[in-house]
Amino acid sequence: MEYKVNLALTIWDAEHKKFMGGSKEVTLPFPPYEGLVLSEREGWYRINQVTWSMAERCFYCKIEIEE
């Protein structure tokens, strides 16, 4: 089984003000969970919040990066 996951990325600056954001849809072979670290060519991302959308039948996950 595969799971549709929408990743919402927020990049914070040193003063912890919102600097930049974006989103990306991925497919995982297992349900995502808080604390999961995803590795891509661009770097490593830790999921810090997971929400299931019953209407859209997908997971929404928040990930953050501090610069």
Side-chain angles (χ1 to χ4, degrees):
M1 183 170 211
E2 293 187 330
Y3 298 89
K4 186 169 89 170
V5 179
N6 185 305
L7 300 173
L9 169 66
T10 302
I11 300 174
W12 298 98
D13 63 8
E15 289 78 38
H16 209 69
K17 296 178 182 176
K18 187 173 179 181
F19 179 70
M20 189 171 160
S23 66
K24 177 179 183 176
E25 189 173 292
V26 299
T27 302
L28 294 177
F30 52 85
Y33 55 89
E34 291 179 19
L36 175 66
V37 176
L38 302 172
S39 172
E40 291 194 314
R41 282 179 255 157
E42 299 83 19
W44 300 80
Y45 309 105
R46 182 178 309 275
I47 295 176
N48 61 11
Q49 183 179 13
V50 177
T51 303
W52 170 253
S53 170
M54 292 176 62
E56 296 180 36
R57 301 191 54 78
C58 74
F59 289 97
Y60 283 90
C61 298
K62 291 185 179 180
I63 56 179
E64 293 182 1
I65 296 175
E66 288 192 25
E67 293 286 326

